[in-house]
């Protein structure tokens, strides 16, 4: 196949135009980022053969240094985009340790409208120039004509989403009318000459050459061979010259009179600079002051169970000051500065949240002082009006109603602006710079645990609550929403696909155009911006998990058996099989799938293929079945398959199901439920299928069946005390109240299992400075540390019958990034 600059390829239901970098399905555009489109083009041109990673990196990121993590993330998101349109097949295949292959049959196709050797007319050239300019093509001639066409209303608005009418409506509008009139004359003359492809019509390159003085081939009366002028041809040429000269005049007027107020600039975030700030501790959230001088963040110190609020200078290498101490059973979130930068406000979610539960809004001086309560019962972070006199927030919790409220900054004079009945959701309010609108995230709670996008953006009138949808439902969550200072758009933080890292996005207002700001394997939380929009901060988490095996929990003898950036081996589950093989979840294929391998890391084999997301595996004691989570049928449900990946069977059909484990006798699968519409409960369902049986009538999670099959260990929150953290519990396999309860430390991290000797409950705890496996003896007493890994935390683990440990450890790094020059 050709590798020229512009081809059209067809595969499956898709049509790829490489010149325009557009992927179509049934005539509709499939949303791809520019790099995803380049990557797809590179793979399609080499369809059927393995393309090494180095070759793809050189072609797609020719002038940029990026790692294989970036390539893996783009392959991941490209597969997701293709799967949304055609879930029946997987187009991009991973060839372990070699690269990627495009596996579908590809054929070259003629351009839309049929093949023709005739070049475009001058009219088509002018349109093409304007169009290419909008797409970023180079060349002084194309740029000038493109700008002229844009100034006259052709080729859409200038780059950056600005409208020509902004700052110059009268003159630009008049220019548009004149240019459209001239274009009509041009089209009429071309038609008289015999139509768009008549040989008498001047070619685009020739017309442009005449206008821009490259040569005089088409000067009247000097045609090829010294022929005299052709009346129709000359009329067409005069029309072409008139159109382009008029366009040039309009461009000149636009450039030197109107342009200073509507100047083109690169799209936001195109040349952004990212700096990681030296912030210590496990950072959960961050905010930058309006003047950009101070950073506030929520973080826990080493070995601390709770997190406090800290403040430090952004530029100076100063010590951080903790201005709010941790509070038992309370989580701090929704962090921001007041518009004047004098105070830090935050929500405290815990036992003291106020009427109706939720969070309590608190305020403290930015450099420390007494913490003051403002109001309670919040269902979301607050945002301030531009003048700082009012705040907006939501109240309510699913499955009840959610309402948006506006109040004075001290919490008084509360007024309801809008209300939504569950399953409709509303939250994360952000007040527009002109004070007239409040942007919100909206969604459909009934889809929240399906793995399908269910979050979109809307804009509400701050006075009457009338709603305008800005985007469709396209994200599977969100944590922060903030306006650009000029009101031209918003920045948000959200994951686009289930189980994928959250990224930063920009949404133009009022067009609703969405573009990705970050596109990597890091996960981002928050997007706090300075008052002038010159910088923002977010919490960035990098994770590179791998699977380790240790004999008898001996961390000193542990051996790493998997590696590879972007694979996330074992991040969402790892388990022993009775034959000594390891079953684990990985995204090595581009989707979350269940894999198996030998205990030394060899013999890796993918068990689930082309079935959306699959994770959380557990193997039956006889090795016959693997149970796992999958959303291949909609919501995440419990599935069972044979040990070789065949014969998948759905065992449950509810919502919010997780943590499945097979009882030792193989008769039952124990699991937990969670989510908007139900409290967390422990259940069991027959392995052969049937009606689920509820084992608890109070909130509980993380179930694991004892080796003798008589009991279930879990995290139990249906009690007085510390509902945010819970306690370790043992309940009968038949269900009922706990027969044993154990308190846990603030550093408790759940992930409960049962030790092989049936003598204790294992769990993760960070009291040693990083996540390690600890054990609570059933006989009582103090917990015992079982592993002593240093550095990389344990995030998932399982014990074999002979006491070997398989653990997923992650080289995780969390910090605050400062992003500048993004506008």
């Amino acid at each position: 196949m050709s590798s020229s600059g512009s081809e059209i390829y067809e595969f499956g239901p898709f049509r790829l135009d490489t010149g325009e970098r557009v992927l179509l399905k049934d005539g509709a555009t499939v949303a791809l980022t520019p790099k995803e489109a380049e990557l797809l083009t590179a793979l399609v041109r080499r369809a059927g053969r393995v393309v090494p990673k180095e070759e793809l990196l050189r072609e797609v990121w020719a002038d940029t240094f990026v790692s294989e993590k970036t390539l893996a993330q783009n392959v991941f998101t490209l597969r997701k985009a293709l799967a949304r349109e055609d879930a029946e097949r997987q187009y991009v295949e991973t060839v372990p340790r070699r690269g990627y292959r495009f596996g579908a049959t590809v054929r070259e196709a003629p351009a839309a409208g049929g093949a023709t050797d005739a070049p475009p007319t001058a009219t088509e050239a002018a349109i093409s120039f304007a169009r290419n300019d909008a797409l970023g093509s180079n060349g002084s001639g194309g740029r000038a004509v493109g700008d002229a066409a844009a100034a006259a209303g052709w080729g859409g608005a200038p780059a950056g989403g600005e409208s020509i009418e902004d700052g110059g409506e009268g003159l630009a509008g008049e220019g548009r009318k004149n240019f459209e009139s001239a274009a009509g004359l041009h089209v009429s003359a071309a038609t008289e000459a015999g139509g768009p492809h008549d040989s008498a019509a001047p070619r685009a390159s020739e017309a442009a050459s005449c206008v821009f003085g490259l040569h005089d081939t088409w000067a009247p009366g000097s045609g090829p061979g010294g022929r005299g002028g052709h009346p129709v041809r000359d009329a067409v040429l005069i029309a072409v010259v008139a159109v382009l000269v008029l366009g040039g005049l309009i461009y000149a007027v636009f450039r030197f009179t109107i342009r200073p107020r509507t100047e083109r600039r690169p799209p936001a975030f195109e040349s952004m600079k990212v700096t990681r700030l030296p912030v210590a501790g496990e950072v959960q959230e961050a905010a930058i002051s309006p003047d950009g001088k101070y950073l506030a963040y929520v973080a826990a110190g080493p070995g601390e169970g709770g997190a406090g609020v800290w403040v430090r200078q952004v530029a100076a290498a100063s010590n951080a000051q903790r201005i709010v101490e941790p509070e038992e059973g309370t989580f701090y979130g929704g962090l921001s500065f007041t518009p004047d930068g004098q105070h830090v406000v935050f929500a405290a979610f815990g036992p003291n949240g106020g009427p109706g539960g939720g969070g309590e809004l608190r305020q403290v001086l930015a450099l420390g002082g007494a913490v003051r309560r403002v109001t309670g019962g919040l269902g979301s972070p607050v945002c301030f009006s531009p003048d700082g006199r009012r705040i907006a927030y939501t109240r309510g919790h699913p499955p009840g109603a959610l309402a948006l409220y506006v109040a004075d900054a001290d919490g008084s004079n509360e007024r309801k602006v809008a209300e939504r009945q569950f399953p409709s959701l509303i939250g994360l309010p952000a007040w527009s710079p002109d004070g007239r609108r409040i942007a919100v995230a909206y969604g459909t709670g009934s889809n929240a645990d399906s793995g399908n996008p269910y979050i979109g953006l809307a804009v509400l009138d701050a006075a009457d609550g009338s709603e305008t949808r800005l985007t469709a439902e396209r994200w599977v969550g969100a944590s922060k929403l903030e306006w650009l200072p000029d009101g031209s758009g918003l920045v948000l933080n959200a994951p686009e696909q289930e189980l994928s890292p959250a990224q930063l996005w920009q949404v133009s207002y009022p067009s609703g155009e969405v573009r990705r700001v970050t596109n990597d394997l890091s996960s981002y939380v928050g997007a706090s911006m300075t008052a002038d929009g010159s910088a923002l901060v977010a919490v960035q988490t990098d994770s590179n998990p791998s699977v380790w095996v240790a004999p008898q929990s001996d961390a000193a003898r542990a051996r790493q058996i998997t590696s590879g950036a972007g694979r996330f081996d074992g991040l969402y589950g790892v388990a022993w099989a009775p034959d000594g093989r390891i079953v684990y979840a990985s995204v090595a294929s581009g989707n979350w799938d269940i894999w198996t391998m030998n205990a030394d890391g060899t013999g890796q084999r993918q068990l689930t293929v082309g079935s959306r997301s699959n994770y959380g595996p557990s193997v039956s004691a006889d090795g016959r079945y693997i149970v796992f989570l999958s959303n291949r049928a909609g919501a995440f449900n419990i599935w069972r398959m044979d040990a070789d990946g065949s014969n998948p069977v759905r065992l449950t059909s509810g919502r919010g199901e997780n943590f499945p484990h097979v009882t030792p006798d193989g008769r039952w699968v124990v699991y937990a439920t969670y989510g908007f519409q139900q409290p967390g409960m422990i259940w069991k369902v027959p392995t052969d299928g049937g009606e689920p049986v509820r084992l608890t009538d109070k909130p509980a999670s993380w179930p694991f069946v004892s080796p003798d099959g008589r009991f279930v260990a879990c995290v139990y929150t249906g009690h007085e005390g510390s509902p945010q953290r819970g306690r370790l519990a043992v309940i009968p396999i038949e269900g009922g109240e706990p027969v044993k309860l154990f308190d846990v430390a603030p550093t408790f991290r759940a992930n409960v299992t049962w030790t092989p000797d049936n003598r204790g409950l294992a769990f993760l705890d960070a009291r040693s400075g990083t996540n390690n496996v600890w054990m609570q003896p059933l006989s009582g007493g103090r917990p015992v540390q079982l592993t002593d890994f240093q550095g990389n935390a344990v995030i998932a683990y399982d014990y074999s019958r002979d006491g070997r440990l398989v653990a997923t450890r992650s080289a995780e790094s969390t910090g605050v990034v400062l992003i500048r020059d993004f506008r």
Side-chain angles (χ1 to χ4, degrees):
M1 288 183 292
S2 171
S3 61
S4 62
S6 179
E7 307 96 353
I8 294 180
Y9 298 107
E10 293 180 345
F11 52 91
F14 298 104
R15 182 181 179 92
L16 174 65
D17 186 332
T18 63
E20 301 290 347
R21 296 182 183 179
V22 172
L23 181 66
L24 302 175
K25 180 190 176 188
D26 300 328
T29 301
V30 178
L32 295 178
T33 66
K35 288 303 180 186
E36 290 168 359
E38 290 182 41
L39 178 60
L40 178 61
T41 297
L43 291 168
V44 166
R45 283 174 172 165
R46 300 165 175 82
R49 77 175 179 87
V50 178
V51 187
K53 297 177 182 178
E54 296 79 8
E55 185 176 333
L56 290 171
L57 288 170
R58 284 195 303 270
E59 178 167 335
V60 181
W61 289 273
D63 301 319
T64 307
F65 176 77
V66 298
S67 67
E68 289 185 9
K69 291 171 59 177
T70 301
L71 172 61
Q73 174 64 17
N74 278 270
V75 170
F76 176 79
T77 55
L78 174 60
R79 283 182 173 133
K80 291 291 185 182
L82 295 173
R84 283 196 299 268
E85 307 297 332
D86 183 8
E88 298 300 319
R89 70 187 83 182
Q90 182 167 297
Y91 290 92
V92 182
E93 303 170 358
T94 299
V95 181
R97 298 182 178 86
R98 294 180 61 191
Y100 300 97
R101 175 173 53 216
F102 195 82
T105 301
V106 176
R107 72 176 188 277
E108 287 197 59
T116 177
D117 294 327
T121 65
T123 303
E124 294 166 331
I127 296 174
S128 177
F129 288 161
R131 184 181 188 186
N132 288 341
D133 183 64
L135 293 174
S137 62
N138 295 321
S140 60
R143 173 76 51 188
V145 177
D147 283 352
W154 286 42
E162 296 176 356
S163 170
I164 276 298
E165 285 80 5
D166 294 340
E169 181 175 352
L171 189 55
E174 187 64 26
R176 178 185 297 109
K177 296 174 184 176
N178 292 340
F179 197 82
E180 289 171 349
S181 176
L185 173 64
H186 180 185
V187 172
S188 176
T191 304
E192 291 175 2
H197 301 296
D198 190 278
S199 60
R203 301 297 184 251
S205 59
E206 295 162 337
S209 299
C210 177
V211 172
F212 295 109
L214 299 179
H215 55 74
D216 60 357
T217 303
W218 276 95
S222 61
R227 291 180 299 168
H230 188 291
V232 175
R233 184 190 65 201
D234 292 346
V236 171
L237 179 58
I238 291 170
V240 170
V241 173
V243 168
L244 296 179
V245 169
L246 179 60
L249 291 173
I250 294 172
Y251 168 73
V253 172
F254 171 71
R255 179 176 179 82
F256 295 109
T257 62
I258 303 173
R259 186 174 179 136
R261 290 197 289 172
T262 61
E263 184 176 1
R264 288 172 184 251
R265 56 177 180 263
F269 307 101
E270 189 173 80
S271 58
M272 65 184 184
K273 299 176 183 177
V274 181
T275 303
R276 194 143 185 172
L277 300 178
V279 177
E282 187 179 327
V283 184
Q284 300 170 3
E285 191 173 339
I288 193 168
S289 62
D291 61 7
K293 294 181 179 180
Y294 291 94
L295 176 76
Y297 57 97
V298 178
E304 291 183 343
V309 179
W310 301 72
V311 170
R312 57 157 290 155
Q313 288 181 284
V314 172
S318 61
N319 293 328
Q321 175 186 356
R322 183 152 65 182
I323 61 174
V324 179
E325 296 295 321
E327 185 176 301
E328 175 70 19
T330 299
F331 170 79
Y332 298 146
L335 190 69
S336 67
F337 283 84
T338 54
D340 61 8
Q342 297 299 307
H343 293 84
V344 173
V345 297
F346 60 97
F349 296 91
N352 300 317
E360 179 181 80
L361 181 62
R362 299 178 185 177
Q363 179 174 293
V364 61
L365 285 169
L367 297 181
V371 178
R372 183 174 68 87
R373 180 188 185 276
V374 179
T375 187
L378 302 183
S380 74
V382 302
C383 66
F384 283 86
S385 62
D387 59 10
R389 296 180 179 179
R390 293 177 293 168
I391 55 176
Y393 48 89
T394 62
R395 290 196 191 280
H397 302 278
L402 290 166
L404 175 68
Y405 287 86
V406 168
D408 292 344
D410 61 1
S412 62
N413 298 320
E414 184 178 81
R415 174 175 62 88
K416 184 187 295 185
V417 176
E419 185 175 69
R420 302 290 181 266
Q421 294 294 326
F422 190 80
S424 294
L425 305 174
I426 186 173
L428 300 179
W431 217 310
S432 66
D434 62 10
R436 298 166 54 191
R437 306 170 185 87
I438 299 176
V440 296
Y442 75 90
T444 305
S446 57
N447 294 334
D449 52 9
S450 68
N452 296 316
Y454 73 102
I455 294 293
L457 299 187
V459 175
L460 304 182
D461 187 287
D464 61 18
S466 58
E467 178 180 340
T468 301
R469 293 285 170 92
L470 188 57
T471 74
E473 297 174 352
R474 58 163 300 150
W475 295 284
V476 296
S479 67
K480 181 66 175 179
L481 184 61
E482 188 152 331
W483 284 86
L484 296 172
D486 61 3
S488 64
L490 300 107
V491 177
L492 78 151
N493 163 265
E496 189 178 28
Q497 301 292 334
E498 71 275 6
L499 307 179
S500 65
Q503 300 288 302
L504 295 173
W505 304 79
Q506 180 184 348
V507 180
S508 298
Y509 179 80
S511 69
E513 179 184 357
V514 178
R515 61 188 296 273
R516 188 192 295 262
V517 175
T518 57
N519 187 20
D520 52 41
L521 295 178
S522 299
S523 182
Y524 296 85
V525 173
S528 174
M529 200 176 308
T530 56
D532 61 3
S534 63
L536 67 80
V537 299
V539 177
Q540 180 190 53
T541 300
D542 294 319
S543 181
N544 186 18
S546 56
V547 179
W548 295 64
V549 171
Q552 301 298 321
S553 303
D554 187 351
R557 297 165 60 194
R559 187 162 56 91
Q560 183 177 347
I561 63 172
T562 71
S563 63
R567 296 171 58 94
F568 295 101
D569 292 337
L571 178 65
Y572 288 126
V574 63
W576 284 103
D579 61 3
R581 290 179 63 80
I582 294 171
V583 182
Y584 63 104
S586 174
V587 76
S589 66
N591 296 300
W592 280 105
D593 282 302
I594 308 297
W595 291 65
T596 184
M597 62 181 169
N598 297 323
D600 60 0
T602 62
Q604 295 178 358
R605 179 169 173 260
Q606 185 177 346
L607 300 182
T608 59
V609 179
S611 51
R612 297 190 68 183
S613 296
N614 309 271
Y615 71 100
S618 178
V619 188
S620 63
D622 59 6
R624 180 182 177 187
Y625 294 128
I626 298 173
V627 295
F628 59 100
L629 272 298
S630 178
N631 66 345
R632 65 186 68 189
F636 279 103
N637 298 129
I638 312 298
W639 287 70
R640 185 204 76 205
M641 64 182 174
D642 292 348
D644 61 0
S646 62
N647 302 320
V649 176
R650 184 168 65 163
L651 298 181
T652 63
S653 57
R655 291 189 174 276
E657 297 162 342
N658 213 334
F659 315 124
H661 293 284
V662 185
T663 57
D665 60 10
R667 295 177 54 202
W668 299 91
V669 176
V670 176
Y671 65 97
T673 55
Y674 67 97
F676 283 121
Q677 303 175 68
Q678 58 197 351
M681 297 291 180
I682 307 298
W683 301 72
K684 65 179 181 180
V685 64
T687 307
D688 293 332
E691 288 297 316
V693 177
R694 193 171 71 182
L695 302 183
T696 62
D697 57 5
K698 295 179 180 178
S701 190
W702 285 103
F704 200 97
V705 185
S706 63
D708 61 12
R710 298 170 56 202
F711 299 98
V712 177
C714 63
V715 178
Y716 193 72
T717 57
H719 63 90
E720 301 296 330
S722 302
Q724 300 297 312
R725 191 167 64 244
R727 287 193 284 180
L728 282 174
V730 176
I731 63 174
I733 190 65
E734 297 82 11
E737 293 294 317
V739 295
K740 289 182 180 290
L741 281 172
F742 302 97
D743 290 328
V744 294
T747 50
F748 175 73
R749 297 292 186 265
N751 208 324
V752 179
T753 67
W754 211 289
T755 58
D757 59 11
N758 212 58
R759 297 173 60 186
L761 309 180
F763 57 93
L764 292 181
D765 197 294
R767 72 184 73 185
S768 63
T770 190
N771 281 9
N772 268 292
V773 183
W774 290 66
M775 187 265 289
Q776 170 62 57
L778 287 176
S779 58
R782 298 171 61 86
V784 178
Q785 185 172 350
L786 299 182
T787 66
D788 189 22
F789 289 111
Q790 302 297 317
N792 297 350
V794 179
I795 53 179
Y797 67 98
D798 189 31
Y799 282 100
S800 67
R801 290 186 175 183
D802 60 6
R804 286 182 296 169
L805 174 72
V806 58
T808 302
R809 300 179 63 204
S810 179
E812 190 166 285
S813 173
T814 298
V816 179
V817 291
L818 176 70
I819 304 176
R820 295 189 183 276
D821 297 338
F822 56 84
R823 302 197 67 211

